[in-house]
Amino acid sequence: MQIGCIVITLFMGVPIYLIALAALSSRESLNTFPLPLLPTDVSGETMTTFLQSTGIVGGLLNSLTIGLSTVVLALLIGLPAGYALARYAFRGRNPYQLGLLLTRALPIVVLSVPLARIFLDTGLYDTTYAVTLLHTALALPTTILITSAIFLGVSREQEEAAMIFGASPLKAFVRVVVPQALPGIAASAMFTFVLSWNEVLGASILTLNRRTLPAQVLATLADSPLAFRFAGGLALVLPALIFIAVVRRYLLNMWGTTLR
């Protein structure tokens, strides 16, 4: 078991380490053979050149704007839907949950091409709003199912007791349910942000001049030098690593695992 964990960790960690090593090395050291496996000539030249390239800072800002907007919109729509699934029994609830999963089975290009046509007609094409709407549609099934599972674990009796003592349903939800469901809500929000950050195909189809960072890197990848590719890879991986570090405690709480 432990050997399996070590192998999986190395399988995932070694490529990230090699990308970081190349991105933080000077261009001269990248041309040496064999390449050293330990940092011997650390330099920020490659990352600085990457960040100063055309469209990178704009793409970074677009990614942050779209990611945060997607989180807000997905929670505004997904939280009530998840609460309804957890608290109320209604006809068609199980087929509805299955339908949510089926929407995630659709290839992104199936959604993006018709949406591109609609956005061209409505004037939303090549805007951050268009990508935000697409990412929200992609994130909603996960948001609804995760929050539904979290709300199921919140005691209904405590919520009803709050209403017996005079709290309105909304106040009981905000004061009793939300604090207990906060780790799951936070984990769902971070899943949504990472999904939006890493999505590239839809953003490439729906934008030309307002591309996200992954779409911008992909568009310039073929004509870029090797150092630029490593720097772009590190810039795309870093947010996911930060996500794992931040969300670890919330995920363990959500899954009912003892925090070590």
Side-chain angles (χ1 to χ4, degrees):
M1 185 67 177
Q2 292 180 347
I3 294 176
C5 292
I6 293 173
V7 171
I8 293 174
T9 302
L10 290 176
F11 179 77
M12 298 176 67
V14 169
I16 296 174
Y17 171 74
L18 294 178
I19 290 174
L21 182 65
L24 298 177
S25 299
S26 63
R27 295 191 176 190
E28 292 75 16
S29 62
L30 283 179
N31 296 324
T32 58
F33 182 84
L35 288 174
L37 294 179
L38 295 176
T40 57
D41 186 15
V42 177
S43 171
E45 176 190 357
T46 302
M47 287 302 297
T48 302
T49 304
F50 171 78
L51 293 174
Q52 292 176 346
S53 301
T54 303
I56 296 302
V57 174
L60 179 63
L61 294 176
N62 287 337
S63 287
L64 289 173
T65 302
I66 292 170
L68 295 175
S69 302
T70 301
V71 168
V72 172
L73 200 54
L75 287 180
L76 283 177
I77 302 173
L79 277 181
Y83 182 80
L85 275 178
R87 286 290 191 260
Y88 302 105
F90 54 88
R91 181 178 296 178
R93 184 172 67 172
N94 291 333
Y96 173 70
Q97 295 184 68
L98 182 61
L100 287 175
L101 293 176
L102 290 177
T103 58
R104 291 295 294 132
L106 293 174
I108 295 177
V109 68
V110 174
L111 294 173
S112 301
V113 174
L115 282 176
R117 177 64 184 177
I118 295 173
F119 291 151
L120 279 170
D121 293 338
T122 56
L124 287 177
Y125 186 78
D126 198 19
T127 65
T128 56
Y129 302 117
V131 184
T132 299
L133 290 175
L134 173 65
H135 289 181
T136 302
L138 294 174
L140 267 179
T142 308
T143 303
I144 294 173
L145 293 177
I146 289 179
T147 54
S148 172
I150 295 301
F151 288 136
L152 278 175
V154 177
S155 171
R156 182 193 291 265
E157 288 74 15
Q158 294 182 14
E159 186 180 358
E160 291 175 347
M163 288 189 283
I164 289 174
F165 283 103
S168 64
L170 178 60
K171 190 173 182 180
F173 175 78
V174 173
R175 302 291 294 273
V176 176
V177 178
V178 170
Q180 297 185 59
L182 195 56
I185 295 173
S188 173
M190 292 177 187
F191 270 127
T192 300
F193 182 81
V194 172
L195 182 148
S196 174
W197 182 273
N198 290 330
E199 198 283 318
V200 61
L201 181 57
S204 300
I205 294 175
L206 296 179
T207 56
L208 289 175
N209 300 314
R210 294 181 179 274
R211 286 183 164 164
T212 60
L213 182 60
Q216 182 66 28
V217 171
L218 180 66
T220 58
L221 202 59
D223 302 324
S224 303
L226 186 62
F228 184 92
R229 299 178 189 182
F230 284 123
L234 182 62
L236 295 179
V237 166
L238 273 181
L241 295 179
I242 295 172
F243 157 75
I244 292 172
V246 172
V247 81
R248 175 177 174 271
R249 181 165 62 92
Y250 294 110
L251 288 178
L252 291 177
N253 288 339
M254 186 180 68
W255 291 333
T257 306
T258 302
L259 186 62
R260 298 177 181 175

PDB file of all heavy atoms in Angstrom, residues 32-57:
ATOM      1  N   THR A  32      22.447  22.521 -22.040  1.00  0.00           N
ATOM      2  CA  THR A  32      23.521  21.602 -21.653  1.00  0.00           C
ATOM      3  C   THR A  32      23.013  20.166 -21.664  1.00  0.00           C
ATOM      4  O   THR A  32      21.819  19.904 -21.502  1.00  0.00           O
ATOM      5  CB  THR A  32      24.028  21.938 -20.235  1.00  0.00           C
ATOM      6  OG1 THR A  32      22.936  21.852 -19.323  1.00  0.00           O
ATOM      7  CG2 THR A  32      24.624  23.328 -20.198  1.00  0.00           C
ATOM      8  N   PHE A  33      23.933  19.227 -21.889  1.00  0.00           N
ATOM      9  CA  PHE A  33      23.576  17.812 -21.893  1.00  0.00           C
ATOM     10  C   PHE A  33      24.649  17.010 -21.166  1.00  0.00           C
ATOM     11  O   PHE A  33      25.835  17.179 -21.451  1.00  0.00           O
ATOM     12  CB  PHE A  33      23.443  17.291 -23.323  1.00  0.00           C
ATOM     13  CG  PHE A  33      23.018  15.844 -23.373  1.00  0.00           C
ATOM     14  CD1 PHE A  33      21.685  15.496 -23.279  1.00  0.00           C
ATOM     15  CD2 PHE A  33      23.974  14.829 -23.493  1.00  0.00           C
ATOM     16  CE1 PHE A  33      21.290  14.167 -23.327  1.00  0.00           C
ATOM     17  CE2 PHE A  33      23.581  13.497 -23.529  1.00  0.00           C
ATOM     18  CZ  PHE A  33      22.245  13.174 -23.454  1.00  0.00           C
ATOM     19  N   PRO A  34      24.305  16.144 -20.208  1.00  0.00           N
ATOM     20  CA  PRO A  34      22.932  15.912 -19.721  1.00  0.00           C
ATOM     21  C   PRO A  34      22.480  17.019 -18.779  1.00  0.00           C
ATOM     22  O   PRO A  34      23.309  17.662 -18.121  1.00  0.00           O
ATOM     23  CB  PRO A  34      23.056  14.584 -18.994  1.00  0.00           C
ATOM     24  CG  PRO A  34      24.467  14.565 -18.507  1.00  0.00           C
ATOM     25  CD  PRO A  34      25.285  15.276 -19.541  1.00  0.00           C
ATOM     26  N   LEU A  35      21.182  17.215 -18.688  1.00  0.00           N
ATOM     27  CA  LEU A  35      20.648  18.239 -17.796  1.00  0.00           C
ATOM     28  C   LEU A  35      20.797  17.806 -16.341  1.00  0.00           C
ATOM     29  O   LEU A  35      20.526  16.649 -16.002  1.00  0.00           O
ATOM     30  CB  LEU A  35      19.155  18.461 -18.096  1.00  0.00           C
ATOM     31  CG  LEU A  35      18.812  19.174 -19.399  1.00  0.00           C
ATOM     32  CD1 LEU A  35      17.305  19.166 -19.607  1.00  0.00           C
ATOM     33  CD2 LEU A  35      19.340  20.600 -19.384  1.00  0.00           C
ATOM     34  N   PRO A  36      21.282  18.683 -15.466  1.00  0.00           N
ATOM     35  CA  PRO A  36      21.395  18.314 -14.043  1.00  0.00           C
ATOM     36  C   PRO A  36      20.016  18.149 -13.421  1.00  0.00           C
ATOM     37  O   PRO A  36      19.089  18.891 -13.744  1.00  0.00           O
ATOM     38  CB  PRO A  36      22.145  19.502 -13.431  1.00  0.00           C
ATOM     39  CG  PRO A  36      21.865  20.642 -14.349  1.00  0.00           C
ATOM     40  CD  PRO A  36      21.736  20.065 -15.722  1.00  0.00           C
ATOM     41  N   LEU A  37      19.889  17.176 -12.527  1.00  0.00           N
ATOM     42  CA  LEU A  37      18.603  16.917 -11.870  1.00  0.00           C
ATOM     43  C   LEU A  37      18.428  17.742 -10.602  1.00  0.00           C
ATOM     44  O   LEU A  37      17.369  17.686  -9.978  1.00  0.00           O
ATOM     45  CB  LEU A  37      18.468  15.428 -11.535  1.00  0.00           C
ATOM     46  CG  LEU A  37      18.375  14.499 -12.754  1.00  0.00           C
ATOM     47  CD1 LEU A  37      18.265  13.052 -12.306  1.00  0.00           C
ATOM     48  CD2 LEU A  37      17.196  14.875 -13.641  1.00  0.00           C
ATOM     49  N   LEU A  38      19.465  18.476 -10.210  1.00  0.00           N
ATOM     50  CA  LEU A  38      19.366  19.374  -9.059  1.00  0.00           C
ATOM     51  C   LEU A  38      19.585  20.802  -9.531  1.00  0.00           C
ATOM     52  O   LEU A  38      20.343  21.038 -10.489  1.00  0.00           O
ATOM     53  CB  LEU A  38      20.408  18.995  -7.996  1.00  0.00           C
ATOM     54  CG  LEU A  38      20.228  17.617  -7.350  1.00  0.00           C
ATOM     55  CD1 LEU A  38      21.388  17.330  -6.397  1.00  0.00           C
ATOM     56  CD2 LEU A  38      18.895  17.524  -6.615  1.00  0.00           C
ATOM     57  N   PRO A  39      18.922  21.791  -8.910  1.00  0.00           N
ATOM     58  CA  PRO A  39      19.083  23.187  -9.337  1.00  0.00           C
ATOM     59  C   PRO A  39      20.502  23.689  -9.086  1.00  0.00           C
ATOM     60  O   PRO A  39      20.923  23.820  -7.930  1.00  0.00           O
ATOM     61  CB  PRO A  39      18.047  23.933  -8.491  1.00  0.00           C
ATOM     62  CG  PRO A  39      17.776  23.042  -7.325  1.00  0.00           C
ATOM     63  CD  PRO A  39      17.969  21.644  -7.797  1.00  0.00           C
ATOM     64  N   THR A  40      21.240  23.939 -10.156  1.00  0.00           N
ATOM     65  CA  THR A  40      22.612  24.436 -10.043  1.00  0.00           C
ATOM     66  C   THR A  40      22.754  25.865 -10.547  1.00  0.00           C
ATOM     67  O   THR A  40      23.710  26.543 -10.210  1.00  0.00           O
ATOM     68  CB  THR A  40      23.559  23.534 -10.837  1.00  0.00           C
ATOM     69  OG1 THR A  40      23.117  23.470 -12.201  1.00  0.00           O
ATOM     70  CG2 THR A  40      23.585  22.121 -10.250  1.00  0.00           C
ATOM     71  N   ASP A  41      21.816  26.306 -11.388  1.00  0.00           N
ATOM     72  CA  ASP A  41      21.904  27.650 -11.952  1.00  0.00           C
ATOM     73  C   ASP A  41      20.501  28.266 -11.954  1.00  0.00           C
ATOM     74  O   ASP A  41      19.868  28.441 -12.999  1.00  0.00           O
ATOM     75  CB  ASP A  41      22.471  27.576 -13.368  1.00  0.00           C
ATOM     76  CG  ASP A  41      22.722  28.971 -13.941  1.00  0.00           C
ATOM     77  OD1 ASP A  41      22.735  29.937 -13.152  1.00  0.00           O
ATOM     78  OD2 ASP A  41      22.893  29.087 -15.170  1.00  0.00           O
ATOM     79  N   VAL A  42      20.013  28.573 -10.742  1.00  0.00           N
ATOM     80  CA  VAL A  42      18.647  29.109 -10.615  1.00  0.00           C
ATOM     81  C   VAL A  42      18.601  30.527 -11.182  1.00  0.00           C
ATOM     82  O   VAL A  42      19.460  31.359 -10.880  1.00  0.00           O
ATOM     83  CB  VAL A  42      18.202  29.113  -9.139  1.00  0.00           C
ATOM     84  CG1 VAL A  42      16.806  29.728  -9.003  1.00  0.00           C
ATOM     85  CG2 VAL A  42      18.221  27.704  -8.589  1.00  0.00           C
ATOM     86  N   SER A  43      17.593  30.767 -12.024  1.00  0.00           N
ATOM     87  CA  SER A  43      17.451  32.074 -12.654  1.00  0.00           C
ATOM     88  C   SER A  43      15.969  32.360 -12.882  1.00  0.00           C
ATOM     89  O   SER A  43      15.199  31.455 -13.229  1.00  0.00           O
ATOM     90  CB  SER A  43      18.198  32.102 -13.992  1.00  0.00           C
ATOM     91  OG  SER A  43      17.888  33.280 -14.703  1.00  0.00           O
ATOM     92  N   GLY A  44      15.596  33.611 -12.702  1.00  0.00           N
ATOM     93  CA  GLY A  44      14.220  34.023 -12.971  1.00  0.00           C
ATOM     94  C   GLY A  44      14.047  34.604 -14.350  1.00  0.00           C
ATOM     95  O   GLY A  44      12.980  35.119 -14.681  1.00  0.00           O
ATOM     96  N   GLU A  45      15.093  34.486 -15.186  1.00  0.00           N
ATOM     97  CA  GLU A  45      15.068  35.090 -16.515  1.00  0.00           C
ATOM     98  C   GLU A  45      13.942  34.513 -17.378  1.00  0.00           C
ATOM     99  O   GLU A  45      13.205  35.257 -18.038  1.00  0.00           O
ATOM    100  CB  GLU A  45      16.420  34.854 -17.203  1.00  0.00           C
ATOM    101  CG  GLU A  45      16.466  35.360 -18.639  1.00  0.00           C
ATOM    102  CD  GLU A  45      17.739  34.893 -19.345  1.00  0.00           C
ATOM    103  OE1 GLU A  45      18.570  34.242 -18.693  1.00  0.00           O
ATOM    104  OE2 GLU A  45      17.873  35.194 -20.541  1.00  0.00           O
ATOM    105  N   THR A  46      13.790  33.185 -17.340  1.00  0.00           N
ATOM    106  CA  THR A  46      12.781  32.541 -18.188  1.00  0.00           C
ATOM    107  C   THR A  46      11.374  32.960 -17.781  1.00  0.00           C
ATOM    108  O   THR A  46      10.545  33.311 -18.630  1.00  0.00           O
ATOM    109  CB  THR A  46      12.922  31.014 -18.083  1.00  0.00           C
ATOM    110  OG1 THR A  46      14.250  30.653 -18.473  1.00  0.00           O
ATOM    111  CG2 THR A  46      11.928  30.325 -18.997  1.00  0.00           C
ATOM    112  N   MET A  47      11.092  32.927 -16.469  1.00  0.00           N
ATOM    113  CA  MET A  47       9.756  33.308 -16.007  1.00  0.00           C
ATOM    114  C   MET A  47       9.484  34.788 -16.270  1.00  0.00           C
ATOM    115  O   MET A  47       8.365  35.158 -16.637  1.00  0.00           O
ATOM    116  CB  MET A  47       9.628  33.013 -14.515  1.00  0.00           C
ATOM    117  CG  MET A  47       9.519  31.537 -14.163  1.00  0.00           C
ATOM    118  SD  MET A  47       8.120  30.702 -14.939  1.00  0.00           S
ATOM    119  CE  MET A  47       6.743  31.580 -14.229  1.00  0.00           C
ATOM    120  N   THR A  48      10.518  35.637 -16.098  1.00  0.00           N
ATOM    121  CA  THR A  48      10.327  37.066 -16.362  1.00  0.00           C
ATOM    122  C   THR A  48      10.011  37.311 -17.826  1.00  0.00           C
ATOM    123  O   THR A  48       9.099  38.086 -18.165  1.00  0.00           O
ATOM    124  CB  THR A  48      11.608  37.836 -15.973  1.00  0.00           C
ATOM    125  OG1 THR A  48      11.898  37.586 -14.589  1.00  0.00           O
ATOM    126  CG2 THR A  48      11.424  39.324 -16.190  1.00  0.00           C
ATOM    127  N   THR A  49      10.737  36.633 -18.717  1.00  0.00           N
ATOM    128  CA  THR A  49      10.469  36.779 -20.154  1.00  0.00           C
ATOM    129  C   THR A  49       9.065  36.296 -20.498  1.00  0.00           C
ATOM    130  O   THR A  49       8.348  36.910 -21.297  1.00  0.00           O
ATOM    131  CB  THR A  49      11.501  35.975 -20.966  1.00  0.00           C
ATOM    132  OG1 THR A  49      12.813  36.403 -20.607  1.00  0.00           O
ATOM    133  CG2 THR A  49      11.289  36.159 -22.451  1.00  0.00           C
ATOM    134  N   PHE A  50       8.665  35.191 -19.866  1.00  0.00           N
ATOM    135  CA  PHE A  50       7.318  34.662 -20.118  1.00  0.00           C
ATOM    136  C   PHE A  50       6.251  35.656 -19.685  1.00  0.00           C
ATOM    137  O   PHE A  50       5.300  35.927 -20.438  1.00  0.00           O
ATOM    138  CB  PHE A  50       7.155  33.339 -19.364  1.00  0.00           C
ATOM    139  CG  PHE A  50       5.752  32.809 -19.366  1.00  0.00           C
ATOM    140  CD1 PHE A  50       5.242  32.173 -20.483  1.00  0.00           C
ATOM    141  CD2 PHE A  50       4.941  32.944 -18.244  1.00  0.00           C
ATOM    142  CE1 PHE A  50       3.943  31.691 -20.494  1.00  0.00           C
ATOM    143  CE2 PHE A  50       3.650  32.460 -18.246  1.00  0.00           C
ATOM    144  CZ  PHE A  50       3.145  31.829 -19.372  1.00  0.00           C
ATOM    145  N   LEU A  51       6.407  36.212 -18.478  1.00  0.00           N
ATOM    146  CA  LEU A  51       5.380  37.135 -17.968  1.00  0.00           C
ATOM    147  C   LEU A  51       5.331  38.430 -18.767  1.00  0.00           C
ATOM    148  O   LEU A  51       4.295  39.105 -18.796  1.00  0.00           O
ATOM    149  CB  LEU A  51       5.644  37.431 -16.489  1.00  0.00           C
ATOM    150  CG  LEU A  51       5.458  36.239 -15.540  1.00  0.00           C
ATOM    151  CD1 LEU A  51       5.878  36.603 -14.128  1.00  0.00           C
ATOM    152  CD2 LEU A  51       4.005  35.758 -15.559  1.00  0.00           C
ATOM    153  N   GLN A  52       6.471  38.803 -19.418  1.00  0.00           N
ATOM    154  CA  GLN A  52       6.497  40.036 -20.214  1.00  0.00           C
ATOM    155  C   GLN A  52       6.059  39.818 -21.653  1.00  0.00           C
ATOM    156  O   GLN A  52       6.013  40.771 -22.434  1.00  0.00           O
ATOM    157  CB  GLN A  52       7.914  40.624 -20.191  1.00  0.00           C
ATOM    158  CG  GLN A  52       8.326  41.153 -18.821  1.00  0.00           C
ATOM    159  CD  GLN A  52       9.760  41.641 -18.792  1.00  0.00           C
ATOM    160  OE1 GLN A  52      10.544  41.363 -19.710  1.00  0.00           O
ATOM    161  NE2 GLN A  52      10.126  42.356 -17.730  1.00  0.00           N
ATOM    162  N   SER A  53       5.739  38.582 -22.018  1.00  0.00           N
ATOM    163  CA  SER A  53       5.309  38.295 -23.388  1.00  0.00           C
ATOM    164  C   SER A  53       3.911  38.853 -23.630  1.00  0.00           C
ATOM    165  O   SER A  53       3.116  39.033 -22.706  1.00  0.00           O
ATOM    166  CB  SER A  53       5.315  36.785 -23.635  1.00  0.00           C
ATOM    167  OG  SER A  53       6.607  36.257 -23.419  1.00  0.00           O
ATOM    168  N   THR A  54       3.605  39.095 -24.886  1.00  0.00           N
ATOM    169  CA  THR A  54       2.329  39.690 -25.261  1.00  0.00           C
ATOM    170  C   THR A  54       1.160  38.780 -24.882  1.00  0.00           C
ATOM    171  O   THR A  54       1.161  37.590 -25.220  1.00  0.00           O
ATOM    172  CB  THR A  54       2.291  39.939 -26.787  1.00  0.00           C
ATOM    173  OG1 THR A  54       3.393  40.761 -27.135  1.00  0.00           O
ATOM    174  CG2 THR A  54       0.994  40.608 -27.194  1.00  0.00           C
ATOM    175  N   GLY A  55       0.205  39.341 -24.186  1.00  0.00           N
ATOM    176  CA  GLY A  55      -1.030  38.620 -23.861  1.00  0.00           C
ATOM    177  C   GLY A  55      -0.998  37.809 -22.590  1.00  0.00           C
ATOM    178  O   GLY A  55      -2.046  37.304 -22.168  1.00  0.00           O
ATOM    179  N   ILE A  56       0.166  37.647 -21.952  1.00  0.00           N
ATOM    180  CA  ILE A  56       0.252  36.781 -20.773  1.00  0.00           C
ATOM    181  C   ILE A  56      -0.420  37.427 -19.563  1.00  0.00           C
ATOM    182  O   ILE A  56      -1.258  36.805 -18.897  1.00  0.00           O
ATOM    183  CB  ILE A  56       1.722  36.437 -20.464  1.00  0.00           C
ATOM    184  CG1 ILE A  56       2.320  35.619 -21.617  1.00  0.00           C
ATOM    185  CG2 ILE A  56       1.814  35.648 -19.160  1.00  0.00           C
ATOM    186  CD1 ILE A  56       1.575  34.329 -21.898  1.00  0.00           C
ATOM    187  N   VAL A  57      -0.074  38.686 -19.265  1.00  0.00           N
ATOM    188  CA  VAL A  57      -0.673  39.356 -18.103  1.00  0.00           C
ATOM    189  C   VAL A  57      -2.183  39.518 -18.316  1.00  0.00           C
ATOM    190  O   VAL A  57      -2.988  39.290 -17.402  1.00  0.00           O
ATOM    191  CB  VAL A  57       0.007  40.716 -17.852  1.00  0.00           C
ATOM    192  CG1 VAL A  57      -0.708  41.470 -16.740  1.00  0.00           C
ATOM    193  CG2 VAL A  57       1.475  40.503 -17.483  1.00  0.00           C
TER     194      VAL A  57
END
